[in-house]
Amino acid sequence: MAIEAQPQMPRVWRAETKPHKFCPGCGHGIILKALGEAIDALNIQQRAVFGCDIGCSLLAWDFFNLDTIQTHHGRTTPVLVGLKRARPELLAICYMGDGGAYAIGAQHLVSSVSRNDPVTIIVANNTQYAMTGGQMAPTTLPGQKTETSPYGRDVELTGRPMLGPELVATIAPSGAYVARGTVANVVQLKNFIQKGLSNQLKGRGISFIEVLSACPTNWHTNAAETWHFIEKEMSKFFPVGELRTPDGEQRQEVEHRGRQP
Amino acid sequence: MVTKPIKGEQRSFMTGNEVIAWAALAAGCEFMYGYPITPQNEIMHYWTRLAPKYERGFLQTEDEISAGFTTIGGVLAGKRVFTATAGPGNVLMQEAMAMAEMMRLPTVVVVTQRGGPSTATVIYSQQELNLTSFGGNGEGLRIVYSPASHDDLFSYTIKAFNSAWKYRFPTFVLGDGYQSKMRAPVTLYDPEERGLTMEPCYPMVGLPGLPGEEREPAHLRNTYNLEEELFAILSDSIKDYESMTPEVVEWEATAIDDAELLIIAHGIVSRAARAAVQVLREEGLKAGLFRPITLRPFPVAELRRLTGQARRLIVVESAYGQLEKMVKTALYGLKIPLRSYLRPGMGITPEEIVQFAKEL
Ligand SMILES: Cc1ncc(C[n+]2csc(CCOP(=O)(O)OP(=O)(O)O)c2C)c(N)n1
Ligand code: SF4
Ligand SMILES: [Mg+2]
């Protein structure tokens, strides 16, 4: 299901740079469509600043009609936090991969969450380092083959998949919005992203949305296998749903479908 | 506009770190980002005490990587901002400074050098010259000032903001632990009352007008696909750097006209060297001093001209040949014997320099 097949472009998309630079079937394009629609719905094009990381997210440096900063691997959050502190009226969107968020940028993520920095962080979880050719990431599934786990991820040696939203939800102060969406449910994803952006608009605290994303290029999957991997394999480890919503500050019921202990 | 902290001229007696905090305030700096490290800490301590009184901001970050990148965020927002660090923190700061160099972002960093390598001492050195001038995976397209006194700390911290925003190269004030911790007299002033216009700051994102409709969006990047693309960008930066150089270079020459023995030293060591020149002169030796104030860009043409009739050169530094290497590069092709007094991580007294010069 390539993004090119989808009819309507969000208003904030930059037509001149479409078709975009992601591989066919890539999840990044779907996430950025949901983000674009959320920005349109909230009418915040004038105030939003988009930051992308190094990783395939960098290919979005000219994706939107938004002021955009392409930063370093794992450093998008501190750049936008610095910006937001200096210009609180702007809306800071930090877009990155799972490697950028949970490995090289983990100390920034944890610290921003504990400070409740008023930014919106969106992480594309494709279970590996895509841009560098498909190495193991903190999110790689047990037994999953990557270029640096060619015999499958050995959890005894390299640990289990990192649960980003769960970590964030555990340490975030009140006012945080935390969710995990998936490119397999775009309507829900747009809703999560929109809530995350609203949370920043309302000045309540940090918002964090992980998205289960697709990388058919490095997974070496066809369309059917790609969707199967997201919906049947990834979702076993990464339950989709809202983990923290500032309204009522209640931990929401997360789908525990098939979750392994 | 933020409230002015200094009116008229104020004679004070304070530590170098306090001077730097006042200088940043006087320069109209609006935000500091930082992470604790000795001997820089008191810059943050004074800043956090003074900042709320003058409507300025502060963020304590999780490390110096973040301090560097949040500083970049503040610059992109169009604010006059800075950070300060030393030693291992300066090492971590370099990733962000490489991005600033690539994207021509006017970051300002105060470095208070401590002993190295590694954690070494929290006291003093001149060992961060290479790192501050050429750190990062680039060409050292930076401006580095080396102050030698509290008055220098004040005026070069103010100047750092102006040079950064005028030329858009990352700018550093390369101090040291002695200057930071020492109490000394200083004159604080408001730059505008002295006729100094502060270079205006402007946002690079979050601009007025609807992006894509009323104006082009700002699409700022540091990644390029083609060798030729990168080469074109770097060639422009190098051209700007070279054409800025004659305007930016600063140096100080003492007793140089008839000097046969020329001592070259920077920062606080240049003060010991100046005292040594006086003693050597009293003892009949025609000694002189050349002190580079900008270490990047280095005053190459001036040093070559002023070494004119010198028969011997001495480089003196609290490092193992970092300044010496810059001097040798600057003097390439000239055939003047050069000896160096190199004391990595150690303070240097005038007596040591006098003795070294006499033993030559
Ligand atoms: C400091 C640093 N280390 C390593 C790299 C190389 N690198 C570029 S992208 C990347 C991984 C990207 O993975 P992820 O963040 O998951 O994004 P994806 O490409 O999967 O969307 C790495 C390691 C780099 N650019 N900078
Ligand atoms: S390599 Fe993977 S993540 Fe990167 S653009 Fe291609 S499909 Fe998307
Ligand atoms: Mg990834």
Side-chain angles (χ1 to χ4, degrees), chain B residues 209-225:
Chain B
L210 194 63
E213 295 184 24
E214 292 158 25
R215 63 172 172 92
E216 285 297 292
H219 284 153
L220 311 177
R221 60 170 168 161
N222 54 61
T223 310
Y224 296 92
N225 296 325

Side-chain angles (χ1 to χ4, degrees), chain A residues 64 67-68 70 82 87 108, chain B residues 33 62 206 216 218-220 223:
Chain A
F64 290 112
D67 289 347
T68 301
Q70 176 255 302
R87 298 266 305 275
H108 306 310
Chain B
Y33 306 86
E62 55 274 19
E216 285 297 292
H219 284 153
L220 311 177
T223 310

Side-chain angles (χ1 to χ4, degrees), chain A residues 28 53-58 72-73 75 96-101 104 124 126 128-132 135 137, chain B residues 95:
Chain A
H28 279 291
D53 216 64
I54 298 300
C56 289
S57 74
L58 82 83
H72 276 193
H73 188 30
R75 315 301 180 210
M96 67 200 73
D98 44 334
I104 196 165
N126 53 18
Q128 32 85 32
Y129 293 116
M131 173 130 280
T132 39
Q135 296 84 4
Chain B
E95 190 196 331

